[in-house]
Amino acid sequence: MEATAEEVDAAVRAARAARAPLADRTVRAAFLRTAAYRLAAAEDRLVEAADAESALGPVRLTGELARTCYQLRAFADIVEEGAFLDVVIDHPDDTATPPVPDLRRHKVPLGVVAVYSASNFPFAFSVAGGDTASALAAGCPVVVKAHPDHPALSELVARVVRGAAAAHGIPGGVLGLVHGFDAGVELVRHPLVSAAGFTGSVRGGRALFDAAAARPAPIPFHGELGSLNPVLVTEAAAAERAEAVGTGLAGSMTLGLGQFCVKPGLVLVPAGAAGDRLVKSLMDAVSDTAAGVLLDHRMRDHFLAGVAERAALPGVDSPVTPGAGSAHTVSPGFLTVPAARLTGAGAHDLLLEECFGPVTVVARYADEDEATAVLARLPGNLTATVHLSAGEAAGEGRGARLLAELTPLAGRVVVDAWPTGVAVAPAQHHGGPYPATTSTSTSVGAGAIERWMRPVAYQNTPPALLPPELRDDNPLGLPRRCDGRLER
Amino acid sequence: MEATAEEVDAAVRAARAARAPLADRTVRAAFLRTAAYRLAAAEDRLVEAADAESALGPVRLTGELARTCYQLRAFADIVEEGAFLDVVIDHPDDTATPPVPDLRRHKVPLGVVAVYSASNFPFAFSVAGGDTASALAAGCPVVVKAHPDHPALSELVARVVRGAAAAHGIPGGVLGLVHGFDAGVELVRHPLVSAAGFTGSVRGGRALFDAAAARPAPIPFHGELGSLNPVLVTEAAAAERAEAVGTGLAGSMTLGLGQFCVKPGLVLVPAGAAGDRLVKSLMDAVSDTAAGVLLDHRMRDHFLAGVAERAALPGVDSPVTPGAGSAHTVSPGFLTVPAARLTGAGAHDLLLEECFGPVTVVARYADEDEATAVLARLPGNLTATVHLSAGEAAGEGRGARLLAELTPLAGRVVVDAWPTGVAVAPAQHHGGPYPATTSTSTSVGAGAIERWMRPVAYQNTPPALLPPELRDDNPLGLPRRCDGRLER
């Protein structure tokens, strides 16, 4: 089943050959819609196949497939609107220094994109997931490296998407699929691959990032690697609604058995009575949460070892011990530690690293400065969350300052809510300082398409030869900037 | 004069401390305008200092300083308009899959930017050049690694810019300056440096790119390294205006003594009588072009060695031999070679590498297929140029197809003109596939500011805490996208 170097090469060449049929925006949008339609129509078969290869369960898998189809349709809308082409036209201006000739710029597809799919989202971050959808929307054929946790589902999804492509005259090579670790490495090194998208671990993602950077001609590598997703609960918020925050936290950290990239992994809770109430609510809610089966056995081993290593650190308690529920399951839990243990480098730095699965670390802080000191030591995150009191939310006290303090830490700042649940929307940003992502871009939402494009300017080009996107009369009705002014 | 590791660290920390005073867009724009004003006011002193450290001459240097000031003002306009903040607002939508919460995104500065300045533009791509101007405009303080060819000028320019900063309450640390090779390496490795911009050689740029990618937390490295800038003259264009094209080529390849990154370095000219006339005109014009002094002695050595190595290849002729004009100068010239020598890998691949200085390679092609085969072998370029006949420009024959063929090669496609002369304009794109640049971004024009920003989304944030950029009532009048619709 593992692809040889020759098979990877063949997949990349077949993808490359699909660039021309994919170049037409109208065809592309229609293809994405048909893919969404056919995937949705195949729901029973797809969810059954996904369920056979994962423990996520039909309810979650059905929802995830719906999200995947929604995403494909959202990118079809984006393709049709055309703002992502970023059209800019400058007519000649002899008064500029130096003079400006006739210049017209738009964005073109980068070429074949390699996509590394994730274990925790067999639909939404896999074969027809966000990376693939955004790359196809950009006009880039894709070769997916399947995740070993769901190989048969990957083949099935690829077949459905290829069927949709065929319906629009696009060859099946537009979505290649390869299996195997070595194939993944071959793929990122292939000279005809122009960019890569990845969702997974820091270790795996960094190895591929390094390979992408070490190529004779380096390529953009958009990887989403790891994130602690810190949460800060202010003293006033805890005083006001300790129970609601504790229960909400339990729900967020155990959602999907803690296997979301945006699981809150470190929660700064004030020392004292209000914080104690919060922890008590968390205990109650987490204790009531059922054990479950993680994505695969390797992940279960990592989770149990990671929890044990953390729990053994001095000063760390386990009010609800996360651990082996049975031979196959794990049960949720959480650890507590005085925040003072985290303000300087040492063994406790392990608590500032992501631990995949249903566990979080509650750090009890003595005062604001201590909480700030811990936040300042965190690596980059996808999200940073703050729970404020009603007064702080209304502008009293340090609400705005806290927002400013959290902004450098993450790509998404959440207030009085939880980071789990990543909406597919134009304003979404799913990315953040390293190791959250390896670039400044997003892998969810409209901005994801930008990763697979590059600008090209045409200078002094005769009107007869201009692509329609760049013509003065704007036959395609594109939003654009013309002689410095936005036209929409 | 060379900065120690401690001095680099101090410069980076001083720059970091200037982030807050630089955060206000109004202050930032005013600072950029004041910097432009003061640099222009100091023209005599600056041009004199530049002239003392380079052979470019007062006329070119005066023009380059004007370009530099224009660029600073252009970025002030961009900062004031605010479109670069890329504001997107989504109000809650429960009908989406999954539901969309209140999400508001804008872009924030990355942090301290390292800028590596170039030898060939002591003003426009140096201390106050495009990388610095765009980074400051983005709200990022800068530490410049000065080019060793013009250290005193670098200090002088930095002092003027710091004076402008002081006039707006911004500390001088906002523009740090360090000298020395080792200091440059320290800089890109410094944990508090968030991104880097570079203009220079493939060798130096790649070493720094590698260092940026190898960091524990990799940073974006926007380097402009090298470009051959191919030109294709069609058979019909040669037949129609061989002399004009030959003379124009001579002007472009010898402009600034061939020391522009967009110098045409490979010109595909048809075999036969029309092409012969073109070459004859090129000979005449190049022969009439005076010898001159290159930027430094190292460059002169490289030029002479590079020309000699290329001229010694089988089948290569030198109708006008580029070479040593005197002990210090070099004289322009060009080489010719049958394009057939370039269609397959071999020793002649050297002719497909950039040779800095007043030399170009004219490859004579037998037919269209041969020209296409050579183009297909080229690495990435900043520019690709085509000269068409009037008929081809009007849409007859293969004009449009040629444009499509050149597009994958470069970031700017030029028709019936020459690539030298890079306008500072919204539609400009100065970048291209590797090794032209190490990223998909531009180092000239409005888009350059995007390199130094990252998006941040705010979810469920109370109105009282929102930055003014993200408020519903849009108090700053920013162009934005709201609930999917573009608002000017």
Side-chain angles (χ1 to χ4, degrees):
Chain A
M1 191 118 182
E2 305 220 332
T4 63
E6 289 70 29
E7 286 163 341
V8 171
D9 181 63
V12 171
R13 289 180 190 278
R16 194 168 159 83
R19 286 179 305 161
L22 202 61
D24 185 288
R25 279 198 299 130
T26 308
V27 171
R28 222 146 85 201
F31 162 39
L32 292 170
R33 284 193 207 287
T34 303
Y37 178 83
R38 294 196 178 196
L39 287 168
E43 182 185 283
D44 291 352
R45 203 157 38 110
L46 290 171
V47 169
E48 190 187 331
D51 197 39
E53 290 183 325
S54 91
L56 294 169
V59 173
R60 147 73 193 270
L61 290 166
T62 302
E64 192 188 322
L65 177 59
R67 174 199 179 91
T68 306
C69 297
Y70 180 86
Q71 189 160 251
L72 287 160
R73 287 188 202 100
F75 278 112
D77 291 345
I78 287 165
V79 170
E80 281 165 353
E81 187 211 48
F84 75 104
L85 297 170
D86 206 7
V87 173
V88 185
I89 296 177
D90 293 326
H91 292 100
D93 176 6
D94 287 342
T95 68
T97 314
V100 175
D102 186 281
L103 274 174
R104 292 155 194 264
R105 189 187 80 193
H106 68 165
K107 287 189 175 169
V108 300
L110 273 180
V112 176
V113 169
V115 169
Y116 295 82
S117 71
S119 62
N120 59 343
F121 281 93
F123 290 118
F125 286 82
S126 287
V127 176
D131 284 345
T132 298
S134 57
L136 293 174
C140 296
V142 169
V143 179
V144 175
K145 190 270 180 189
H147 196 281
D149 278 359
H150 41 80
L153 175 67
S154 298
E155 289 288 347
L156 187 54
V157 170
R159 273 203 299 280
V160 174
V161 175
R162 284 180 200 138
H168 297 280
I170 301 169
V174 73
L175 181 61
L177 182 65
V178 298
H179 300 266
F181 179 86
D182 292 344
V185 178
E186 286 288 338
L187 194 55
V188 80
R189 290 187 179 150
H190 197 291
L192 297 179
V193 166
S194 299
F198 171 94
T199 310
S201 69
V202 172
R203 197 173 152 193
R206 182 62 192 251
L208 290 168
F209 170 87
D210 289 344
R215 292 165 50 114
I219 55 172
F221 183 87
H222 300 288
E224 184 203 319
L225 311 193
S227 180
L228 192 62
N229 306 299
V231 177
L232 172 67
V233 183
T234 68
E235 179 77 50
E240 201 172 275
R241 49 193 164 90
E243 288 73 19
V245 174
T247 312
L249 172 58
S252 183
M253 62 151 282
T254 62
L255 191 70
L257 216 58
Q259 297 171 111
F260 289 120
C261 44
V262 288
K263 178 200 74 177
L266 176 74
V267 189
L268 288 156
V269 171
D276 290 347
R277 279 163 46 216
L278 190 160
V279 171
K280 175 66 171 60
S281 293
L282 180 62
M283 277 178 68
D284 293 346
V286 170
S287 303
D288 286 349
T289 305
V293 179
L294 287 175
L295 287 158
D296 59 42
H297 257 274
R298 193 179 45 87
M299 219 162 269
R300 187 171 180 273
D301 296 344
H302 281 174
F303 172 72
L304 295 175
V307 167
E309 204 182 345
R310 285 164 176 79
L313 290 166
V316 173
D317 284 328
S318 310
V320 181
T321 307
S326 71
H328 295 290
T329 64
V330 299
S331 61
F334 67 97
L335 310 175
T336 60
V337 66
R341 296 274 192 179
L342 305 175
T343 53
H348 289 77
D349 283 357
L350 182 62
L351 298 171
L352 306 183
E353 288 177 24
E354 183 181 21
C355 183
F356 211 69
V359 62
T360 195
V361 175
V362 174
R364 304 293 299 270
Y365 65 86
D367 55 31
E368 288 178 20
D369 289 350
E370 206 170 79
T372 298
V374 175
L375 291 176
R377 297 197 59 238
L378 297 185
N381 291 278
L382 291 167
T383 69
T385 299
V386 63
H387 283 269
L388 303 171
S389 70
E392 286 166 338
E396 294 162 19
R398 58 187 184 127
R401 188 163 60 73
L402 281 176
L403 239 61
E405 214 169 279
L406 293 178
T407 298
L409 301 182
R412 178 162 55 105
V413 175
V414 181
V415 183
D416 292 346
W418 299 99
T420 39
V422 183
V424 177
Q428 186 56 276
H429 186 69
H430 191 62
Y434 187 89
T437 44
T438 57
S439 73
T440 56
S441 64
T442 181
S443 62
V444 178
I449 196 171
E450 294 173 15
R451 300 176 295 169
W452 320 119
M453 318 275 302
R454 69 178 178 95
V456 177
Y458 293 87
Q459 178 175 331
N460 196 39
T461 303
L465 305 187
L466 280 175
E469 288 82 1
L470 298 180
R471 274 165 45 184
D472 275 337
D473 61 353
N474 198 7
L476 306 177
L478 295 170
R480 62 186 190 180
R481 185 184 286 272
C482 199
D483 295 326
R485 292 173 53 168
L486 292 167
E487 296 179 355
R488 289 171 171 185
Chain B
M1 190 117 183
E2 306 220 333
T4 63
E6 290 69 29
E7 286 163 340
V8 170
D9 181 63
V12 172
R13 288 178 190 279
R16 193 170 161 80
R19 285 178 306 161
L22 201 61
D24 185 287
R25 279 197 300 132
T26 309
V27 171
R28 222 146 84 202
F31 162 38
L32 291 170
R33 285 193 206 287
T34 302
Y37 178 84
R38 293 196 180 195
L39 287 168
E43 181 185 284
D44 291 353
R45 201 158 39 108
L46 291 170
V47 169
E48 190 186 331
D51 197 39
E53 290 184 323
S54 90
L56 294 170
V59 173
R60 146 74 193 268
L61 290 166
T62 303
E64 191 187 322
L65 178 58
R67 173 198 178 90
T68 305
C69 297
Y70 180 85
Q71 190 159 253
L72 287 160
R73 288 188 202 101
F75 278 112
D77 291 345
I78 287 165
V79 170
E80 282 166 350
E81 186 211 46
F84 76 105
L85 297 171
D86 205 7
V87 174
V88 185
I89 296 177
D90 293 324
H91 292 98
D93 176 5
D94 287 342
T95 68
T97 314
V100 175
D102 187 282
L103 275 175
R104 292 153 193 268
R105 189 187 79 194
H106 67 165
K107 286 189 176 170
V108 300
L110 273 180
V112 177
V113 169
V115 170
Y116 295 82
S117 71
S119 62
N120 60 343
F121 281 93
F123 290 119
F125 287 80
S126 287
V127 176
D131 284 344
T132 298
S134 56
L136 293 174
C140 296
V142 168
V143 179
V144 176
K145 190 272 181 186
H147 196 279
D149 277 0
H150 41 81
L153 174 68
S154 298
E155 290 289 346
L156 187 53
V157 170
R159 276 204 296 281
V160 174
V161 175
R162 285 180 199 136
H168 298 279
I170 301 169
V174 74
L175 181 62
L177 183 64
V178 297
H179 301 265
F181 179 86
D182 292 344
V185 178
E186 286 287 338
L187 193 56
V188 80
R189 289 185 180 154
H190 196 292
L192 296 179
V193 166
S194 299
F198 171 94
T199 310
S201 68
V202 172
R203 197 173 152 194
R206 182 63 193 249
L208 290 167
F209 170 88
D210 289 344
R215 292 165 50 114
I219 56 172
F221 184 87
H222 300 287
E224 184 201 319
L225 311 193
S227 181
L228 192 63
N229 304 300
V231 177
L232 171 67
V233 183
T234 67
E235 179 77 52
E240 198 172 277
R241 50 195 164 88
E243 288 73 19
V245 174
T247 311
L249 171 58
S252 182
M253 62 151 285
T254 62
L255 190 70
L257 217 59
Q259 297 170 111
F260 289 120
C261 44
V262 289
K263 177 200 77 176
L266 176 73
V267 189
L268 287 156
V269 171
D276 289 348
R277 280 163 46 215
L278 189 159
V279 172
K280 175 68 170 57
S281 292
L282 179 63
M283 277 178 69
D284 293 347
V286 170
S287 303
D288 286 350
T289 307
V293 178
L294 288 175
L295 287 159
D296 59 41
H297 257 273
R298 192 178 46 84
M299 219 162 271
R300 184 171 182 274
D301 295 344
H302 281 173
F303 172 72
L304 295 174
V307 166
E309 205 182 344
R310 286 165 175 78
L313 290 166
V316 173
D317 284 327
S318 311
V320 181
T321 305
S326 71
H328 295 291
T329 63
V330 298
S331 61
F334 68 98
L335 310 176
T336 59
V337 66
R341 296 272 192 181
L342 304 175
T343 53
H348 289 77
D349 283 356
L350 182 63
L351 298 171
L352 306 183
E353 288 177 25
E354 182 180 18
C355 184
F356 211 68
V359 61
T360 196
V361 174
V362 175
R364 306 292 299 271
Y365 65 85
D367 55 34
E368 288 179 20
D369 289 348
E370 205 169 80
T372 299
V374 175
L375 290 176
R377 297 196 61 238
L378 297 185
N381 291 278
L382 292 167
T383 68
T385 299
V386 62
H387 283 269
L388 302 171
S389 68
E392 286 165 338
E396 295 161 18
R398 58 190 186 126
R401 189 162 61 73
L402 281 175
L403 238 62
E405 211 169 283
L406 293 178
T407 297
L409 301 182
R412 179 162 54 106
V413 175
V414 181
V415 182
D416 293 344
W418 298 98
T420 40
V422 182
V424 177
Q428 187 56 278
H429 186 70
H430 191 63
Y434 188 90
T437 44
T438 58
S439 72
T440 56
S441 63
T442 180
S443 62
V444 178
I449 196 172
E450 294 174 15
R451 301 176 295 170
W452 322 119
M453 319 274 303
R454 69 177 176 96
V456 177
Y458 293 88
Q459 178 175 332
N460 196 40
T461 303
L465 305 186
L466 280 175
E469 289 81 0
L470 298 180
R471 276 166 43 185
D472 274 338
D473 60 351
N474 199 5
L476 307 176
L478 295 169
R480 63 185 188 178
R481 184 185 286 271
C482 200
D483 295 326
R485 292 172 54 166
L486 294 165
E487 295 177 357
R488 221 186 311 179

